Amino acid sequence: MMSQATLQVTGMTCGHCVETVSKAVSSLNGVNKVDVSLEQKEVKVDFDEGQTALTEIKAKIVDAGYEVGSG
């Protein structure tokens, strides 16, 4: 089942941060689209719940060195 989530991410300060988060989330199986906004401090993800879970996406962002808020 396809899902979409918008996550608030803190700690991103530049284009390199956006690229790092985008690559980290994109590396997960089932992730179809990642849109990282430095200005909005958010990450929008389209993913297949049958292949990955929202908790895995959040963990990938945290592993990359950023904090994920609720939302």
Side-chain angles (χ1 to χ4, degrees):
M1 182 169 127
M2 293 303 298
S3 292
Q4 185 177 57
T6 301
L7 305 170
Q8 296 300 311
V9 178
T10 56
M12 296 188 299
T13 59
C14 64
H16 177 61
C17 297
V18 169
E19 187 177 320
T20 300
V21 171
S22 183
K23 283 183 179 179
V25 175
S26 295
S27 72
L28 290 167
N29 287 335
V31 172
N32 294 340
K33 183 180 176 190
V34 181
D35 183 20
V36 182
S37 171
L38 181 61
E39 295 79 21
Q40 300 295 319
K41 304 264 190 255
E42 69 182 19
V43 177
K44 292 182 182 177
V45 187
D46 291 347
F47 63 102
D48 183 342
E49 286 186 46
Q51 295 184 49
T52 194
L54 187 56
T55 53
E56 291 178 77
I57 294 168
K58 289 179 179 180
K60 252 320 184 188
I61 295 170
V62 170
D63 287 347
Y66 305 93
E67 292 183 26
V68 179
S70 58

mmCIF file with all atom_site columns, all heavy atoms in Angstrom, residues 10-23:
data_model
loop_
_atom_site.group_PDB
_atom_site.id
_atom_site.type_symbol
_atom_site.label_atom_id
_atom_site.label_alt_id
_atom_site.label_comp_id
_atom_site.label_asym_id
_atom_site.label_entity_id
_atom_site.label_seq_id
_atom_site.pdbx_PDB_ins_code
_atom_site.Cartn_x
_atom_site.Cartn_y
_atom_site.Cartn_z
_atom_site.occupancy
_atom_site.B_iso_or_equiv
_atom_site.pdbx_formal_charge
_atom_site.auth_seq_id
_atom_site.auth_comp_id
_atom_site.auth_asym_id
_atom_site.auth_atom_id
_atom_site.pdbx_PDB_model_num
ATOM 1  N N   . THR A 1 10 ? 15.047 18.597 11.903 1.00 0.00 ? 10 THR A N   1
ATOM 2  C CA  . THR A 1 10 ? 15.882 19.696 12.367 1.00 0.00 ? 10 THR A CA  1
ATOM 3  C C   . THR A 1 10 ? 17.348 19.321 12.229 1.00 0.00 ? 10 THR A C   1
ATOM 4  O O   . THR A 1 10 ? 17.700 18.148 12.252 1.00 0.00 ? 10 THR A O   1
ATOM 5  C CB  . THR A 1 10 ? 15.568 20.064 13.832 1.00 0.00 ? 10 THR A CB  1
ATOM 6  O OG1 . THR A 1 10 ? 15.729 18.904 14.647 1.00 0.00 ? 10 THR A OG1 1
ATOM 7  C CG2 . THR A 1 10 ? 14.157 20.582 13.978 1.00 0.00 ? 10 THR A CG2 1
ATOM 8  N N   . GLY A 1 11 ? 18.159 20.343 12.079 1.00 0.00 ? 11 GLY A N   1
ATOM 9  C CA  . GLY A 1 11 ? 19.594 20.126 11.947 1.00 0.00 ? 11 GLY A CA  1
ATOM 10 C C   . GLY A 1 11 ? 20.110 20.343 10.536 1.00 0.00 ? 11 GLY A C   1
ATOM 11 O O   . GLY A 1 11 ? 21.319 20.383 10.321 1.00 0.00 ? 11 GLY A O   1
ATOM 12 N N   . MET A 1 12 ? 19.206 20.477 9.575  1.00 0.00 ? 12 MET A N   1
ATOM 13 C CA  . MET A 1 12 ? 19.635 20.727 8.192  1.00 0.00 ? 12 MET A CA  1
ATOM 14 C C   . MET A 1 12 ? 19.951 22.211 8.045  1.00 0.00 ? 12 MET A C   1
ATOM 15 O O   . MET A 1 12 ? 19.126 23.048 8.398  1.00 0.00 ? 12 MET A O   1
ATOM 16 C CB  . MET A 1 12 ? 18.539 20.329 7.202  1.00 0.00 ? 12 MET A CB  1
ATOM 17 C CG  . MET A 1 12 ? 18.199 18.864 7.192  1.00 0.00 ? 12 MET A CG  1
ATOM 18 S SD  . MET A 1 12 ? 17.067 18.389 5.843  1.00 0.00 ? 12 MET A SD  1
ATOM 19 C CE  . MET A 1 12 ? 15.614 19.377 6.196  1.00 0.00 ? 12 MET A CE  1
ATOM 20 N N   . THR A 1 13 ? 21.153 22.505 7.535  1.00 0.00 ? 13 THR A N   1
ATOM 21 C CA  . THR A 1 13 ? 21.555 23.906 7.421  1.00 0.00 ? 13 THR A CA  1
ATOM 22 C C   . THR A 1 13 ? 21.991 24.324 6.025  1.00 0.00 ? 13 THR A C   1
ATOM 23 O O   . THR A 1 13 ? 22.179 25.506 5.768  1.00 0.00 ? 13 THR A O   1
ATOM 24 C CB  . THR A 1 13 ? 22.718 24.201 8.395  1.00 0.00 ? 13 THR A CB  1
ATOM 25 O OG1 . THR A 1 13 ? 23.806 23.333 8.079  1.00 0.00 ? 13 THR A OG1 1
ATOM 26 C CG2 . THR A 1 13 ? 22.297 23.995 9.841  1.00 0.00 ? 13 THR A CG2 1
ATOM 27 N N   . CYS A 1 14 ? 22.174 23.345 5.118  1.00 0.00 ? 14 CYS A N   1
ATOM 28 C CA  . CYS A 1 14 ? 22.701 23.697 3.791  1.00 0.00 ? 14 CYS A CA  1
ATOM 29 C C   . CYS A 1 14 ? 22.278 22.664 2.751  1.00 0.00 ? 14 CYS A C   1
ATOM 30 O O   . CYS A 1 14 ? 21.643 21.657 3.069  1.00 0.00 ? 14 CYS A O   1
ATOM 31 C CB  . CYS A 1 14 ? 24.226 23.784 3.848  1.00 0.00 ? 14 CYS A CB  1
ATOM 32 S SG  . CYS A 1 14 ? 25.019 22.204 4.243  1.00 0.00 ? 14 CYS A SG  1
ATOM 33 N N   . GLY A 1 15 ? 22.683 22.914 1.530  1.00 0.00 ? 15 GLY A N   1
ATOM 34 C CA  . GLY A 1 15 ? 22.363 22.009 0.430  1.00 0.00 ? 15 GLY A CA  1
ATOM 35 C C   . GLY A 1 15 ? 22.951 20.623 0.620  1.00 0.00 ? 15 GLY A C   1
ATOM 36 O O   . GLY A 1 15 ? 22.367 19.626 0.195  1.00 0.00 ? 15 GLY A O   1
ATOM 37 N N   . HIS A 1 16 ? 24.112 20.560 1.243  1.00 0.00 ? 16 HIS A N   1
ATOM 38 C CA  . HIS A 1 16 ? 24.734 19.256 1.504  1.00 0.00 ? 16 HIS A CA  1
ATOM 39 C C   . HIS A 1 16 ? 23.857 18.429 2.444  1.00 0.00 ? 16 HIS A C   1
ATOM 40 O O   . HIS A 1 16 ? 23.722 17.213 2.274  1.00 0.00 ? 16 HIS A O   1
ATOM 41 C CB  . HIS A 1 16 ? 26.137 19.427 2.089  1.00 0.00 ? 16 HIS A CB  1
ATOM 42 C CG  . HIS A 1 16 ? 26.804 18.146 2.432  1.00 0.00 ? 16 HIS A CG  1
ATOM 43 N ND1 . HIS A 1 16 ? 27.076 17.168 1.491  1.00 0.00 ? 16 HIS A ND1 1
ATOM 44 C CD2 . HIS A 1 16 ? 27.240 17.655 3.617  1.00 0.00 ? 16 HIS A CD2 1
ATOM 45 C CE1 . HIS A 1 16 ? 27.652 16.141 2.095  1.00 0.00 ? 16 HIS A CE1 1
ATOM 46 N NE2 . HIS A 1 16 ? 27.759 16.416 3.381  1.00 0.00 ? 16 HIS A NE2 1
ATOM 47 N N   . CYS A 1 17 ? 23.266 19.081 3.435  1.00 0.00 ? 17 CYS A N   1
ATOM 48 C CA  . CYS A 1 17 ? 22.361 18.394 4.362  1.00 0.00 ? 17 CYS A CA  1
ATOM 49 C C   . CYS A 1 17 ? 21.164 17.813 3.609  1.00 0.00 ? 17 CYS A C   1
ATOM 50 O O   . CYS A 1 17 ? 20.756 16.678 3.850  1.00 0.00 ? 17 CYS A O   1
ATOM 51 C CB  . CYS A 1 17 ? 21.857 19.356 5.439  1.00 0.00 ? 17 CYS A CB  1
ATOM 52 S SG  . CYS A 1 17 ? 23.128 20.031 6.515  1.00 0.00 ? 17 CYS A SG  1
ATOM 53 N N   . VAL A 1 18 ? 20.609 18.613 2.706  1.00 0.00 ? 18 VAL A N   1
ATOM 54 C CA  . VAL A 1 18 ? 19.466 18.166 1.904  1.00 0.00 ? 18 VAL A CA  1
ATOM 55 C C   . VAL A 1 18 ? 19.850 16.933 1.096  1.00 0.00 ? 18 VAL A C   1
ATOM 56 O O   . VAL A 1 18 ? 19.113 15.942 1.063  1.00 0.00 ? 18 VAL A O   1
ATOM 57 C CB  . VAL A 1 18 ? 18.983 19.312 0.969  1.00 0.00 ? 18 VAL A CB  1
ATOM 58 C CG1 . VAL A 1 18 ? 17.976 18.790 -0.045 1.00 0.00 ? 18 VAL A CG1 1
ATOM 59 C CG2 . VAL A 1 18 ? 18.406 20.450 1.787  1.00 0.00 ? 18 VAL A CG2 1
ATOM 60 N N   . GLU A 1 19 ? 21.020 16.967 0.483  1.00 0.00 ? 19 GLU A N   1
ATOM 61 C CA  . GLU A 1 19 ? 21.491 15.845 -0.322 1.00 0.00 ? 19 GLU A CA  1
ATOM 62 C C   . GLU A 1 19 ? 21.710 14.596 0.544  1.00 0.00 ? 19 GLU A C   1
ATOM 63 O O   . GLU A 1 19 ? 21.343 13.494 0.153  1.00 0.00 ? 19 GLU A O   1
ATOM 64 C CB  . GLU A 1 19 ? 22.793 16.237 -1.018 1.00 0.00 ? 19 GLU A CB  1
ATOM 65 C CG  . GLU A 1 19 ? 23.295 15.216 -2.008 1.00 0.00 ? 19 GLU A CG  1
ATOM 66 C CD  . GLU A 1 19 ? 24.553 15.682 -2.729 1.00 0.00 ? 19 GLU A CD  1
ATOM 67 O OE1 . GLU A 1 19 ? 24.635 16.868 -3.079 1.00 0.00 ? 19 GLU A OE1 1
ATOM 68 O OE2 . GLU A 1 19 ? 25.438 14.846 -2.918 1.00 0.00 ? 19 GLU A OE2 1
ATOM 69 N N   . THR A 1 20 ? 22.282 14.787 1.718  1.00 0.00 ? 20 THR A N   1
ATOM 70 C CA  . THR A 1 20 ? 22.547 13.674 2.630  1.00 0.00 ? 20 THR A CA  1
ATOM 71 C C   . THR A 1 20 ? 21.252 12.988 3.052  1.00 0.00 ? 20 THR A C   1
ATOM 72 O O   . THR A 1 20 ? 21.139 11.764 3.003  1.00 0.00 ? 20 THR A O   1
ATOM 73 C CB  . THR A 1 20 ? 23.311 14.173 3.876  1.00 0.00 ? 20 THR A CB  1
ATOM 74 O OG1 . THR A 1 20 ? 24.553 14.738 3.455  1.00 0.00 ? 20 THR A OG1 1
ATOM 75 C CG2 . THR A 1 20 ? 23.570 13.046 4.852  1.00 0.00 ? 20 THR A CG2 1
ATOM 76 N N   . VAL A 1 21 ? 20.260 13.786 3.449  1.00 0.00 ? 21 VAL A N   1
ATOM 77 C CA  . VAL A 1 21 ? 18.974 13.231 3.875  1.00 0.00 ? 21 VAL A CA  1
ATOM 78 C C   . VAL A 1 21 ? 18.275 12.553 2.700  1.00 0.00 ? 21 VAL A C   1
ATOM 79 O O   . VAL A 1 21 ? 17.758 11.439 2.831  1.00 0.00 ? 21 VAL A O   1
ATOM 80 C CB  . VAL A 1 21 ? 18.069 14.327 4.492  1.00 0.00 ? 21 VAL A CB  1
ATOM 81 C CG1 . VAL A 1 21 ? 16.657 13.797 4.731  1.00 0.00 ? 21 VAL A CG1 1
ATOM 82 C CG2 . VAL A 1 21 ? 18.676 14.835 5.796  1.00 0.00 ? 21 VAL A CG2 1
ATOM 83 N N   . SER A 1 22 ? 18.297 13.194 1.554  1.00 0.00 ? 22 SER A N   1
ATOM 84 C CA  . SER A 1 22 ? 17.649 12.634 0.377  1.00 0.00 ? 22 SER A CA  1
ATOM 85 C C   . SER A 1 22 ? 18.246 11.282 -0.007 1.00 0.00 ? 22 SER A C   1
ATOM 86 O O   . SER A 1 22 ? 17.521 10.316 -0.252 1.00 0.00 ? 22 SER A O   1
ATOM 87 C CB  . SER A 1 22 ? 17.763 13.618 -0.784 1.00 0.00 ? 22 SER A CB  1
ATOM 88 O OG  . SER A 1 22 ? 17.083 13.133 -1.913 1.00 0.00 ? 22 SER A OG  1
ATOM 89 N N   . LYS A 1 23 ? 19.581 11.202 -0.025 1.00 0.00 ? 23 LYS A N   1
ATOM 90 C CA  . LYS A 1 23 ? 20.242 9.944  -0.376 1.00 0.00 ? 23 LYS A CA  1
ATOM 91 C C   . LYS A 1 23 ? 19.965 8.857  0.654  1.00 0.00 ? 23 LYS A C   1
ATOM 92 O O   . LYS A 1 23 ? 19.760 7.693  0.303  1.00 0.00 ? 23 LYS A O   1
ATOM 93 C CB  . LYS A 1 23 ? 21.748 10.154 -0.515 1.00 0.00 ? 23 LYS A CB  1
ATOM 94 C CG  . LYS A 1 23 ? 22.162 10.808 -1.806 1.00 0.00 ? 23 LYS A CG  1
ATOM 95 C CD  . LYS A 1 23 ? 23.668 10.909 -1.911 1.00 0.00 ? 23 LYS A CD  1
ATOM 96 C CE  . LYS A 1 23 ? 24.086 11.535 -3.221 1.00 0.00 ? 23 LYS A CE  1
ATOM 97 N NZ  . LYS A 1 23 ? 25.549 11.651 -3.334 1.00 0.00 ? 23 LYS A NZ  1
#
